[in-house]
Amino acid sequence: MCGIVGIVGKSNVNQALYDALTVLQHRGQDAAGIVTCDRDRLFLRKENGLVRDVFHQRHMQRLVGTMGLGHVRYPTAGSSTSAEAQPFYVNSPYGITLAHNGNLTNVEQLSKELYEADLRHVNTNSDSEVLLNVFAHELARERKLRPTEEDIFKAVRGVHERCRGGYAALAMVTGYGLVGFRDPNGIRPIVYGKRETDEGTEYMVASESVALDALGFEVIRDLAPGEAVYITEDGRIFTRQCADNPKYAPCIFEHVYLARPDSIIDGILVYKARLRMGEKLAEKILRERPDHGIDVVIPIPDTSRTSAVELANRLGVKFREGFVKNRYIGRTFIMPGQAARKKSVRQKLNAIELEFRGKNVLLVDDSIVRGTTCRQIIQMAREAGAKNVYFCSAAPEVRYPNVYGIDMPSAHELIAHNRTVDEVAELIGADWLIYQDLGDLVDAVREGNPAITQFDCSVFDGNYVTGDVNEFYLGQIERSRNDAARSMVNVDNEVMGLHNDGGEPK
Ligand SMILES: O=P(O)(O)OC[C@H]1O[C@H](OP(=O)(O)OP(=O)(O)O)[C@H](O)[C@@H]1O
Ligand SMILES: NC(=O)CC[C@H](N)C(=O)O
Ligand SMILES: [Mg+2]
């Protein structure tokens, strides 16, 4: 899950884009980029690193223009080289730039089509560059000097027909406008809104509503699955359904971990969904361990805090902050490479002995993925003198890879893959372990918007909502994107005019 944002404003949008990206930083820490458009010129800055490190004053000064888009990246395809940082640019037609959150599952076929039928060259291994070229080709088909909203929507329709997987994307057509679109299953989130200024109405489209809140934009609504929004450079706005059979099946993991709690996604306040997860998990604990004897409930900061508060409440047990987080270290799960993740947990969290010594503690996390965090945390709790360490997860067992924009490509790296709960408990060193039931997780989220009847829960149940993910594809990403394979790729990040990661030529 990357973060995307686009603004059509009445004055320079560089600062607003920068600020919005800092609000979306939790969605990607690997690279950041901003492109702005000033009449017929584009200005682009992108590099590996956090937003605050990528943009210096000298870059900001050059990012002029009243329309632009930005991206924070967490790679799910290609490599983490800065060549694959976003936004991507293609010069024809019009000059189009694109920022993408998600992951395409038919990249191989699309790359072949782009090369053989569309006569287009793609220079990286990023699926987002493929997406951009498909959009550009579909728009070029109209052969118009000045594209209208009809042309734009037709191009999005063409993208939906050709691309598979998860995508929430923003494309800027130089000199014309900004288009946002969401895949026909609505897997990844995207929301838009407006802000009134003395010069007129400004529009923002972003991954999460918090970006709009922080910049004083009022949310209009989420894009529906398959829908597109087009905002012209002079501030006219159009929306259109561009898919034939759209289906609402958003990613449930946004609610578990990815999104900020203060975001509202598809009408569901993430914070409340997490509170309900805590409530339901407490009920399961009371069912399975009526004589639990827990003295204190301790969350593993940050994400599990919300569900842990409500869980403790329901159990009628004290809630305590037993771990202090170093606020200068980012999220560990979205770091590339297991070595970095492992090292970060200890640097990131430190135990307050007082809350552990001689007590039966229940540690709460939002999810257990590779088991990197919980293994170390349980050990730290024991070192701090806990009598018994119990563990619970507000999400069910993560057993299957994700193919729609979360970097979990390899089933074998998932601690619950092919293991029972007791086996996982033993492996992580917990006295007992309880996972949320999937039905309860779905209910906890759905309660926020009962109109949504389906979620993509593929990491928990192996059902991929696009219906076209097969063993062959899963085997392919398992081999090419597991941690060991990626650590072999020697990435030289020095930026050349045109460059790639030195990976296998296609
Ligand atoms: O089992 P694992 O592979 O360790 O992954 C799961 C952990 O990773 C995430 O935390 P992270 O530190 O990324 O972010 P947070 O501060 O938002 O909780 C998540 O909240 C879990 O704590
Ligand atoms: N996490 C994401 O949304 C990743 C977007 C895109 N697939 C990339 O790797 O850059
Ligand atoms: Mg965490």
Side-chain angles (χ1 to χ4, degrees):
M1 72 323 161
C2 302
I4 58 174
V5 58
I7 299 176
V8 178
K10 295 293 174 192
S11 55
N12 281 339
V13 290
N14 49 3
Q15 191 60 45
L17 286 170
Y18 176 98
D19 293 341
L21 286 183
T22 61
V23 176
L24 296 172
Q25 186 81 78
H26 61 284
R27 299 184 67 86
Q29 302 169 168
D30 245 50
I34 289 178
V35 61
T36 55
C37 175
D38 188 24
R39 281 159 300 181
D40 63 348
R41 279 295 150 123
L42 293 176
F43 302 90
L44 170 69
R45 161 75 183 162
K46 58 178 180 175
E47 187 52 89
N48 284 114
L50 297 174
V51 175
R52 61 161 188 253
D53 301 321
V54 168
F55 304 100
H56 300 156
Q57 191 158 3
R58 64 180 191 279
H59 304 122
M60 295 300 288
Q61 277 163 349
R62 289 167 63 182
L63 291 168
V64 292
T66 57
M67 170 165 86
L69 47 93
H71 188 264
V72 282
R73 183 172 190 232
Y74 153 73
T76 60
S79 68
S80 53
T81 162
S82 62
E84 292 178 8
Q86 302 191 31
F88 273 105
Y89 165 71
V90 72
N91 75 337
S92 173
Y94 319 109
I96 304 176
T97 43
L98 176 131
H100 165 218
N101 170 212
N103 192 58
L104 302 186
T105 54
N106 62 337
V107 168
E108 225 176 84
Q109 180 200 334
L110 289 171
S111 303
K112 195 165 169 330
E113 281 173 22
L114 282 172
Y115 182 69
E116 291 175 2
D118 303 345
L119 309 184
R120 283 182 169 266
H121 171 69
V122 173
N123 205 53
T124 69
N125 292 318
S126 164
D127 59 325
S128 310
E129 193 182 6
V130 169
L131 178 64
L132 168 59
N133 276 273
V134 172
F135 176 73
H137 184 78
E138 294 301 312
L139 192 54
R141 274 181 200 277
E142 303 306 312
R143 305 207 64 78
K144 291 270 188 67
L145 180 60
R146 292 175 212 293
T148 64
E149 62 277 13
E150 293 306 321
D151 302 319
I152 300 281
F153 292 138
K154 232 167 153 180
V156 174
R157 177 169 283 277
V159 168
H160 291 334
E161 279 161 15
R162 294 177 65 181
C163 296
R164 297 286 166 268
Y167 48 93
L170 283 168
M172 183 165 68
V173 184
T174 309
Y176 292 103
L178 189 79
V179 51
F181 52 94
R182 190 175 188 186
D183 68 75
N185 294 287
I187 298 174
R188 301 259 70 91
I190 181 166
V191 61
Y192 69 98
K194 64 176 182 186
R195 151 173 103 174
E196 302 300 339
T197 69
D198 292 343
E199 290 84 41
T201 310
E202 301 188 316
Y203 291 95
M204 180 194 274
V205 191
S207 297
E208 288 184 36
S209 59
V210 278
L212 283 83
D213 298 345
L215 274 292
F217 282 76
E218 171 200 338
V219 170
I220 298 176
R221 63 183 175 84
D222 298 84
L223 278 185
E227 194 185 23
V229 58
Y230 179 54
I231 304 149
T232 60
E233 203 191 12
D234 56 1
R236 287 171 302 130
I237 182 164
F238 305 90
T239 57
R240 184 74 51 86
Q241 177 52 258
C242 301
D244 285 334
N245 293 305
K247 176 172 84 183
Y248 228 129
C251 173
I252 205 156
F253 212 69
E254 290 281 348
H255 295 277
V256 170
Y257 166 74
L258 303 178
R260 254 177 59 157
D262 43 342
S263 276
I264 300 176
I265 299 182
D266 297 314
I268 302 166
L269 176 58
V270 176
Y271 174 75
K272 283 216 79 174
R274 288 185 187 159
L275 288 179
R276 287 190 291 263
M277 287 175 211
E279 213 174 282
K280 295 194 191 286
L281 188 54
E283 279 154 20
K284 183 167 177 187
I285 293 171
L286 291 171
R287 274 195 316 272
E288 295 206 344
R289 301 267 170 189
D291 307 314
H292 54 72
I294 299 164
D295 297 314
V296 61
V297 169
I298 295 178
I300 298 172
D302 259 332
T303 303
S304 70
R305 276 201 175 116
T306 317
S307 46
V309 170
E310 194 54 25
L311 186 148
N313 217 0
R314 268 295 155 113
L315 289 183
V317 172
K318 268 190 308 192
F319 170 87
R320 285 285 189 271
E321 296 273 7
F323 294 103
V324 177
K325 186 187 151 189
N326 177 346
R327 69 178 72 192
Y328 301 102
I329 295 191
R331 297 181 114 183
T332 40
F333 173 71
I334 61 173
M335 286 180 175
Q338 187 61 2
R341 289 186 209 111
K342 231 170 159 171
K343 185 165 161 249
S344 288
V345 178
R346 279 221 174 226
Q347 286 180 355
K348 179 173 163 172
L349 297 166
N350 190 33
I352 299 175
E353 249 191 64
L354 173 77
E355 294 297 353
F356 293 88
R357 188 146 302 281
K359 293 183 183 163
N360 295 322
V361 298
L362 174 65
L363 303 183
V364 185
D365 211 346
D366 54 88
S367 57
I368 302 173
V369 182
R370 294 176 178 88
T372 321
T373 309
C374 57
R375 265 192 232 208
Q376 295 190 51
I377 285 288
I378 291 172
Q379 205 184 329
M380 284 162 71
R382 292 204 191 280
E383 285 164 15
K387 191 156 77 181
N388 283 296
V389 183
Y390 312 128
F391 204 94
C392 65
S393 159
E397 299 91 306
V398 175
R399 291 210 160 107
Y400 303 92
N402 186 281
V403 299
Y404 301 131
I406 310 174
D407 194 29
M408 294 182 201
S410 164
H412 294 99
E413 288 166 9
L414 305 172
I415 194 164
H417 179 71
N418 279 341
R419 286 200 182 94
T420 63
V421 176
D422 287 343
E423 285 167 347
V424 177
E426 202 183 318
L427 212 62
I428 65 176
D431 291 301
W432 53 251
L433 165 68
I434 290 183
Y435 282 101
Q436 183 92 270
D437 289 339
L438 182 54
D440 283 344
L441 171 63
V442 172
D443 288 349
V445 180
R446 246 201 95 191
E447 238 174 81
N449 182 0
I452 300 179
T453 55
Q454 195 186 353
F455 290 88
D456 176 71
C457 300
S458 51
V459 296
F460 305 118
D461 63 10
N463 292 327
Y464 296 89
V465 288
T466 51
D468 55 357
V469 174
N470 55 32
E471 287 303 317
F472 178 77
Y473 176 74
L474 292 175
Q476 224 177 14
I477 57 165
E478 163 95 49
R479 282 187 299 278
S480 61
R481 293 196 56 77
N482 67 57
D483 278 330
R486 273 184 283 173
S487 67
M488 305 291 282
V489 180
N490 190 6
V491 176
D492 182 348
N493 263 324
E494 193 189 350
V495 177
M496 307 191 306
L498 247 190
H499 64 161
N500 57 47
D501 62 9
E504 285 294 299
K506 287 191 284 270

PDB file of all heavy atoms in Angstrom, residues 1-2 27 71 73-78 84 86 100-104 126-128 188 405-406, ligand 2:
ATOM      1  N   MET A   1       0.830  -1.194   0.000  1.00  0.00           N
ATOM      2  CA  MET A   1       0.000   0.000   0.000  1.00  0.00           C
ATOM      3  C   MET A   1       0.855   1.229   0.000  1.00  0.00           C
ATOM      4  O   MET A   1       1.522   1.556   0.946  1.00  0.00           O
ATOM      5  CB  MET A   1      -0.983  -0.043   1.154  1.00  0.00           C
ATOM      6  CG  MET A   1      -0.556   0.138   2.553  1.00  0.00           C
ATOM      7  SD  MET A   1       0.901  -0.424   3.281  1.00  0.00           S
ATOM      8  CE  MET A   1       1.117   0.512   4.710  1.00  0.00           C
ATOM      9  N   CYS A   2       0.812   1.917  -1.094  1.00  0.00           N
ATOM     10  CA  CYS A   2       1.483   3.207  -1.160  1.00  0.00           C
ATOM     11  C   CYS A   2       0.447   4.266  -0.832  1.00  0.00           C
ATOM     12  O   CYS A   2      -0.724   3.972  -0.664  1.00  0.00           O
ATOM     13  CB  CYS A   2       2.016   3.462  -2.550  1.00  0.00           C
ATOM     14  SG  CYS A   2       3.155   2.196  -3.119  1.00  0.00           S
ATOM     15  N   ARG A  27       1.872   4.881   4.845  1.00  0.00           N
ATOM     16  CA  ARG A  27       1.548   3.942   3.773  1.00  0.00           C
ATOM     17  C   ARG A  27       2.764   3.551   2.934  1.00  0.00           C
ATOM     18  O   ARG A  27       2.687   2.650   2.095  1.00  0.00           O
ATOM     19  CB  ARG A  27       0.464   4.517   2.852  1.00  0.00           C
ATOM     20  CG  ARG A  27      -0.837   4.808   3.560  1.00  0.00           C
ATOM     21  CD  ARG A  27      -1.907   5.269   2.602  1.00  0.00           C
ATOM     22  NE  ARG A  27      -2.320   4.239   1.681  1.00  0.00           N
ATOM     23  CZ  ARG A  27      -3.245   3.320   1.924  1.00  0.00           C
ATOM     24  NH1 ARG A  27      -3.875   3.305   3.081  1.00  0.00           N
ATOM     25  NH2 ARG A  27      -3.544   2.423   1.017  1.00  0.00           N
ATOM     26  N   HIS A  71       3.378  10.871  -4.240  1.00  0.00           N
ATOM     27  CA  HIS A  71       3.358   9.431  -3.963  1.00  0.00           C
ATOM     28  C   HIS A  71       4.337   9.102  -2.842  1.00  0.00           C
ATOM     29  O   HIS A  71       5.430   9.657  -2.792  1.00  0.00           O
ATOM     30  CB  HIS A  71       3.789   8.694  -5.247  1.00  0.00           C
ATOM     31  CG  HIS A  71       3.640   7.207  -5.196  1.00  0.00           C
ATOM     32  ND1 HIS A  71       4.684   6.374  -4.873  1.00  0.00           N
ATOM     33  CD2 HIS A  71       2.581   6.403  -5.443  1.00  0.00           C
ATOM     34  CE1 HIS A  71       4.250   5.105  -4.929  1.00  0.00           C
ATOM     35  NE2 HIS A  71       2.986   5.105  -5.272  1.00  0.00           N
ATOM     36  N   ARG A  73       6.076   5.532  -1.436  1.00  0.00           N
ATOM     37  CA  ARG A  73       6.134   4.160  -1.949  1.00  0.00           C
ATOM     38  C   ARG A  73       6.555   3.101  -0.940  1.00  0.00           C
ATOM     39  O   ARG A  73       7.439   3.329  -0.111  1.00  0.00           O
ATOM     40  CB  ARG A  73       7.110   4.083  -3.136  1.00  0.00           C
ATOM     41  CG  ARG A  73       7.162   2.685  -3.755  1.00  0.00           C
ATOM     42  CD  ARG A  73       7.957   2.642  -5.035  1.00  0.00           C
ATOM     43  NE  ARG A  73       7.787   1.354  -5.696  1.00  0.00           N
ATOM     44  CZ  ARG A  73       8.785   0.576  -6.106  1.00  0.00           C
ATOM     45  NH1 ARG A  73      10.043   0.957  -5.967  1.00  0.00           N
ATOM     46  NH2 ARG A  73       8.533  -0.581  -6.677  1.00  0.00           N
ATOM     47  N   TYR A  74       5.934   1.983  -1.092  1.00  0.00           N
ATOM     48  CA  TYR A  74       6.263   0.745  -0.381  1.00  0.00           C
ATOM     49  C   TYR A  74       6.176  -0.324  -1.474  1.00  0.00           C
ATOM     50  O   TYR A  74       5.083  -0.641  -1.947  1.00  0.00           O
ATOM     51  CB  TYR A  74       5.234   0.607   0.725  1.00  0.00           C
ATOM     52  CG  TYR A  74       4.879  -0.744   1.246  1.00  0.00           C
ATOM     53  CD1 TYR A  74       5.759  -1.446   2.049  1.00  0.00           C
ATOM     54  CD2 TYR A  74       3.631  -1.286   0.986  1.00  0.00           C
ATOM     55  CE1 TYR A  74       5.372  -2.671   2.574  1.00  0.00           C
ATOM     56  CE2 TYR A  74       3.248  -2.503   1.512  1.00  0.00           C
ATOM     57  CZ  TYR A  74       4.120  -3.200   2.299  1.00  0.00           C
ATOM     58  OH  TYR A  74       3.732  -4.392   2.823  1.00  0.00           O
ATOM     59  N   PRO A  75       7.303  -0.778  -1.987  1.00  0.00           N
ATOM     60  CA  PRO A  75       7.297  -1.568  -3.222  1.00  0.00           C
ATOM     61  C   PRO A  75       6.617  -2.924  -3.090  1.00  0.00           C
ATOM     62  O   PRO A  75       6.770  -3.607  -2.080  1.00  0.00           O
ATOM     63  CB  PRO A  75       8.784  -1.790  -3.524  1.00  0.00           C
ATOM     64  CG  PRO A  75       9.546  -1.008  -2.537  1.00  0.00           C
ATOM     65  CD  PRO A  75       8.648  -0.639  -1.411  1.00  0.00           C
ATOM     66  N   THR A  76       5.883  -3.284  -4.122  1.00  0.00           N
ATOM     67  CA  THR A  76       5.323  -4.637  -4.196  1.00  0.00           C
ATOM     68  C   THR A  76       5.694  -5.295  -5.517  1.00  0.00           C
ATOM     69  O   THR A  76       5.293  -6.411  -5.796  1.00  0.00           O
ATOM     70  CB  THR A  76       3.782  -4.629  -4.118  1.00  0.00           C
ATOM     71  OG1 THR A  76       3.273  -3.868  -5.208  1.00  0.00           O
ATOM     72  CG2 THR A  76       3.303  -4.058  -2.818  1.00  0.00           C
ATOM     73  N   ALA A  77       6.414  -4.562  -6.349  1.00  0.00           N
ATOM     74  CA  ALA A  77       6.835  -5.119  -7.643  1.00  0.00           C
ATOM     75  C   ALA A  77       8.149  -4.457  -7.994  1.00  0.00           C
ATOM     76  O   ALA A  77       8.484  -3.400  -7.470  1.00  0.00           O
ATOM     77  CB  ALA A  77       5.789  -4.828  -8.710  1.00  0.00           C
ATOM     78  N   GLY A  78       8.894  -5.091  -8.903  1.00  0.00           N
ATOM     79  CA  GLY A  78      10.178  -4.516  -9.278  1.00  0.00           C
ATOM     80  C   GLY A  78      11.073  -4.481  -8.055  1.00  0.00           C
ATOM     81  O   GLY A  78      11.074  -5.384  -7.224  1.00  0.00           O
ATOM     82  N   GLU A  84      12.346   3.360  -9.688  1.00  0.00           N
ATOM     83  CA  GLU A  84      10.964   2.903  -9.650  1.00  0.00           C
ATOM     84  C   GLU A  84      10.138   3.689  -8.649  1.00  0.00           C
ATOM     85  O   GLU A  84       8.996   3.335  -8.351  1.00  0.00           O
ATOM     86  CB  GLU A  84      10.914   1.399  -9.375  1.00  0.00           C
ATOM     87  CG  GLU A  84      11.477   0.643 -10.562  1.00  0.00           C
ATOM     88  CD  GLU A  84      11.524  -0.856 -10.394  1.00  0.00           C
ATOM     89  OE1 GLU A  84      10.990  -1.371  -9.406  1.00  0.00           O
ATOM     90  OE2 GLU A  84      12.107  -1.511 -11.270  1.00  0.00           O
ATOM     91  N   GLN A  86       7.876   6.824  -7.595  1.00  0.00           N
ATOM     92  CA  GLN A  86       6.804   7.407  -8.401  1.00  0.00           C
ATOM     93  C   GLN A  86       6.640   8.885  -8.049  1.00  0.00           C
ATOM     94  O   GLN A  86       7.112   9.308  -7.022  1.00  0.00           O
ATOM     95  CB  GLN A  86       5.499   6.654  -8.125  1.00  0.00           C
ATOM     96  CG  GLN A  86       5.629   5.161  -8.415  1.00  0.00           C
ATOM     97  CD  GLN A  86       4.290   4.445  -8.401  1.00  0.00           C
ATOM     98  OE1 GLN A  86       3.263   5.014  -8.738  1.00  0.00           O
ATOM     99  NE2 GLN A  86       4.304   3.175  -8.028  1.00  0.00           N
ATOM    100  N   HIS A 100       0.484   5.363  -8.294  1.00  0.00           N
ATOM    101  CA  HIS A 100      -0.331   4.155  -8.179  1.00  0.00           C
ATOM    102  C   HIS A 100      -0.181   3.506  -6.807  1.00  0.00           C
ATOM    103  O   HIS A 100       0.912   3.349  -6.307  1.00  0.00           O
ATOM    104  CB  HIS A 100       0.133   3.181  -9.292  1.00  0.00           C
ATOM    105  CG  HIS A 100      -0.315   1.763  -9.148  1.00  0.00           C
ATOM    106  ND1 HIS A 100       0.494   0.702  -9.465  1.00  0.00           N
ATOM    107  CD2 HIS A 100      -1.497   1.214  -8.743  1.00  0.00           C
ATOM    108  CE1 HIS A 100      -0.150  -0.439  -9.268  1.00  0.00           C
ATOM    109  NE2 HIS A 100      -1.359  -0.153  -8.826  1.00  0.00           N
ATOM    110  N   ASN A 101      -1.307   3.118  -6.241  1.00  0.00           N
ATOM    111  CA  ASN A 101      -1.312   2.277  -5.046  1.00  0.00           C
ATOM    112  C   ASN A 101      -1.983   0.966  -5.417  1.00  0.00           C
ATOM    113  O   ASN A 101      -3.110   0.968  -5.903  1.00  0.00           O
ATOM    114  CB  ASN A 101      -2.102   2.972  -3.930  1.00  0.00           C
ATOM    115  CG  ASN A 101      -2.365   2.070  -2.730  1.00  0.00           C
ATOM    116  OD1 ASN A 101      -3.380   2.206  -2.066  1.00  0.00           O
ATOM    117  ND2 ASN A 101      -1.469   1.145  -2.450  1.00  0.00           N
ATOM    118  N   GLY A 102      -1.275  -0.118  -5.216  1.00  0.00           N
ATOM    119  CA  GLY A 102      -1.846  -1.414  -5.537  1.00  0.00           C
ATOM    120  C   GLY A 102      -0.839  -2.299  -6.232  1.00  0.00           C
ATOM    121  O   GLY A 102       0.372  -2.059  -6.167  1.00  0.00           O
ATOM    122  N   ASN A 103      -1.336  -3.308  -6.887  1.00  0.00           N
ATOM    123  CA  ASN A 103      -0.453  -4.228  -7.591  1.00  0.00           C
ATOM    124  C   ASN A 103      -1.224  -4.919  -8.709  1.00  0.00           C
ATOM    125  O   ASN A 103      -2.322  -5.398  -8.496  1.00  0.00           O
ATOM    126  CB  ASN A 103       0.085  -5.278  -6.604  1.00  0.00           C
ATOM    127  CG  ASN A 103       1.217  -6.079  -7.190  1.00  0.00           C
ATOM    128  OD1 ASN A 103       2.242  -5.522  -7.586  1.00  0.00           O
ATOM    129  ND2 ASN A 103       1.036  -7.383  -7.291  1.00  0.00           N
ATOM    130  N   LEU A 104      -0.631  -4.915  -9.904  1.00  0.00           N
ATOM    131  CA  LEU A 104      -1.280  -5.583 -11.041  1.00  0.00           C
ATOM    132  C   LEU A 104      -0.834  -7.036 -11.091  1.00  0.00           C
ATOM    133  O   LEU A 104       0.346  -7.343 -10.860  1.00  0.00           O
ATOM    134  CB  LEU A 104      -0.915  -4.895 -12.358  1.00  0.00           C
ATOM    135  CG  LEU A 104      -1.246  -3.407 -12.478  1.00  0.00           C
ATOM    136  CD1 LEU A 104      -0.953  -2.917 -13.888  1.00  0.00           C
ATOM    137  CD2 LEU A 104      -2.708  -3.147 -12.125  1.00  0.00           C
ATOM    138  N   SER A 126       8.592  -2.121 -12.787  1.00  0.00           N
ATOM    139  CA  SER A 126       7.478  -1.681 -11.956  1.00  0.00           C
ATOM    140  C   SER A 126       6.153  -1.874 -12.683  1.00  0.00           C
ATOM    141  O   SER A 126       6.000  -1.477 -13.836  1.00  0.00           O
ATOM    142  CB  SER A 126       7.656  -0.205 -11.611  1.00  0.00           C
ATOM    143  OG  SER A 126       6.436   0.314 -11.137  1.00  0.00           O
ATOM    144  N   ASP A 127       5.188  -2.457 -11.971  1.00  0.00           N
ATOM    145  CA  ASP A 127       3.851  -2.615 -12.555  1.00  0.00           C
ATOM    146  C   ASP A 127       3.189  -1.259 -12.772  1.00  0.00           C
ATOM    147  O   ASP A 127       2.320  -1.111 -13.628  1.00  0.00           O
ATOM    148  CB  ASP A 127       2.984  -3.512 -11.659  1.00  0.00           C
ATOM    149  CG  ASP A 127       2.830  -2.953 -10.257  1.00  0.00           C
ATOM    150  OD1 ASP A 127       3.785  -2.334  -9.743  1.00  0.00           O
ATOM    151  OD2 ASP A 127       1.748  -3.119  -9.665  1.00  0.00           O
ATOM    152  N   SER A 128       3.604  -0.263 -12.009  1.00  0.00           N
ATOM    153  CA  SER A 128       2.980   1.061 -12.138  1.00  0.00           C
ATOM    154  C   SER A 128       3.357   1.717 -13.460  1.00  0.00           C
ATOM    155  O   SER A 128       2.566   2.450 -14.055  1.00  0.00           O
ATOM    156  CB  SER A 128       3.405   1.952 -10.964  1.00  0.00           C
ATOM    157  OG  SER A 128       3.197   1.262  -9.753  1.00  0.00           O
ATOM    158  N   ARG A 188      -8.298  -1.150  -3.328  1.00  0.00           N
ATOM    159  CA  ARG A 188      -7.526  -0.109  -2.641  1.00  0.00           C
ATOM    160  C   ARG A 188      -8.388   1.151  -2.491  1.00  0.00           C
ATOM    161  O   ARG A 188      -9.241   1.439  -3.330  1.00  0.00           O
ATOM    162  CB  ARG A 188      -6.242   0.214  -3.430  1.00  0.00           C
ATOM    163  CG  ARG A 188      -5.332  -0.991  -3.622  1.00  0.00           C
ATOM    164  CD  ARG A 188      -4.154  -0.992  -2.633  1.00  0.00           C
ATOM    165  NE  ARG A 188      -4.513  -1.238  -1.270  1.00  0.00           N
ATOM    166  CZ  ARG A 188      -4.554  -2.458  -0.685  1.00  0.00           C
ATOM    167  NH1 ARG A 188      -4.250  -3.530  -1.351  1.00  0.00           N
ATOM    168  NH2 ARG A 188      -4.873  -2.581   0.578  1.00  0.00           N
ATOM    169  N   GLY A 405      -1.143  -5.306  -3.431  1.00  0.00           N
ATOM    170  CA  GLY A 405      -0.514  -4.068  -2.976  1.00  0.00           C
ATOM    171  C   GLY A 405       0.047  -4.101  -1.566  1.00  0.00           C
ATOM    172  O   GLY A 405       0.471  -3.076  -1.045  1.00  0.00           O
ATOM    173  N   ILE A 406       0.014  -5.285  -0.927  1.00  0.00           N
ATOM    174  CA  ILE A 406       0.677  -5.414   0.377  1.00  0.00           C
ATOM    175  C   ILE A 406       1.852  -6.365   0.152  1.00  0.00           C
ATOM    176  O   ILE A 406       1.694  -7.394  -0.505  1.00  0.00           O
ATOM    177  CB  ILE A 406      -0.252  -6.002   1.463  1.00  0.00           C
ATOM    178  CG1 ILE A 406      -1.582  -5.251   1.483  1.00  0.00           C
ATOM    179  CG2 ILE A 406       0.420  -5.935   2.833  1.00  0.00           C
ATOM    180  CD1 ILE A 406      -2.605  -5.865   2.428  1.00  0.00           C
TER     181      ILE A 406
HETATM  182  N1  LIG B   2       2.382  -0.720  -2.263  1.00  0.00           N
HETATM  183  C1  LIG B   2       2.007  -0.265  -3.428  1.00  0.00           C
HETATM  184  O1  LIG B   2       0.911   0.238  -3.614  1.00  0.00           O
HETATM  185  C2  LIG B   2       3.021  -0.452  -4.533  1.00  0.00           C
HETATM  186  C3  LIG B   2       2.709   0.179  -5.866  1.00  0.00           C
HETATM  187  C4  LIG B   2       3.537  -0.455  -6.974  1.00  0.00           C
HETATM  188  N2  LIG B   2       3.115  -1.811  -7.200  1.00  0.00           N
HETATM  189  C5  LIG B   2       5.017  -0.386  -6.653  1.00  0.00           C
HETATM  190  O2  LIG B   2       5.620  -1.384  -6.349  1.00  0.00           O
HETATM  191  O3  LIG B   2       5.567   0.684  -6.682  1.00  0.00           O
END
